[in-house]
Amino acid sequence: MADLTTHLCGMTLTHPIMPGAGPPVRDGVALLACAEGGAAALVTKTISSQAAAVPTPNMADLKTHFLNTELWSELPPEQWLEVEYPTAKSAGLPMITSLGYTAEDIAWLAPQVAPFADAIELSTHYIGDDYLPMQEAIRAAKEGANVPVLVKMSPFREPQGAAQAAQEAGADGIVAVNSFGPAFGVDIEHGGRLWMGGKGYGWISGPALKPIALRMVYDIARVVDIPVIGVGGITTGADVVEFLMAGARAVQVCTAAITKGAGIYGKIAAQLDTWLDKHGYASVDDIYGLALRQPIPEMTEPPILLPERCTGCNLCVTSCVYGALYLVEKKIRIHEERCEKCGLCLSRCPVGALQPPA
């Protein structure tokens, strides 16, 4: 078994997988379910100075992506302080309390959540090109609670400047990313009914968000010295591997816990362990930041063919728009003069019969 132990802002986790702030952590009982499902730490649903009035309907699983009009917690902060935090704390796991949104809100909330928090996460949906409100919120959290402060970034702005500004203001870590949007969906089976309540549109999470989240993690990890936590579209152990290689120290899972249940945390951790063993890595530390050390690829030669691996599935031939690939007796061949080095076949082949040129 690989060593999945993860050190994050003074917290020691048995593995790098925890919930993201959202419906799966809506109250103390739900947080206990996440703990029982194998989460290594707990992240609570975002609270603010008042409870949210969440529109209904507010979630739709559209298979390739997930839409939501979720807001912060529907429960008042007093209930979290009196009931939900103590309940969740009984799990015995490190707990990150999520707070929003203005410096005034944070200044009022941070001292009250401090007895329950091993760290505080600040949601920054409200941050635009002016970083000052975010920095003021960070300073308010730092002054109000003697715990690490993590800042959650949104995916609809370039992240590096905001991440650097957060670090300068004293943030101890960056969480990337929130859901993306606004996004729209129509239920064609019910007369064009809109999937979302409220304004009729929502925000994208789930698998469609993963490439955006990965890019954000990669870009942020290159410019800050504080740890990055990746979140967005993680459903498997292999997804976690990508985020860790891109520079994340840990990950959060939200949408997959909605669609697959709270047991997803332990399943993903087991898959991560299996992947590391299979690929000869002794620990999660061995894969951390590998992508950060890779040069940008440049393909100047056709792919290397390994016909002995080819199963004749024809996937690469079908998608080769240049007509460079073909099969002979169900084994891959190439017209090298037609190859435009686009690289698509490398991702299409399920058995590794096409390899990047050396």
Side-chain angles (χ1 to χ4, degrees), residues 9 110-115 117-120 140-149 172:
C9 297
Q112 299 184 78
V113 305
D118 295 286
I120 288 174
K142 299 287 287 187
E143 291 172 6
N146 187 29
V147 297
V149 174
D172 300 282

Side-chain angles (χ1 to χ4, degrees), residues 302-327:
I304 296 171
L305 272 57
L306 302 176
E308 66 276 11
R309 295 186 182 181
C310 182
T311 61
C313 70
N314 214 44
L315 290 176
C316 64
V317 175
T318 299
S319 59
C320 183
V321 297
Y322 305 106
L325 297 172
Y326 63 102
L327 296 180

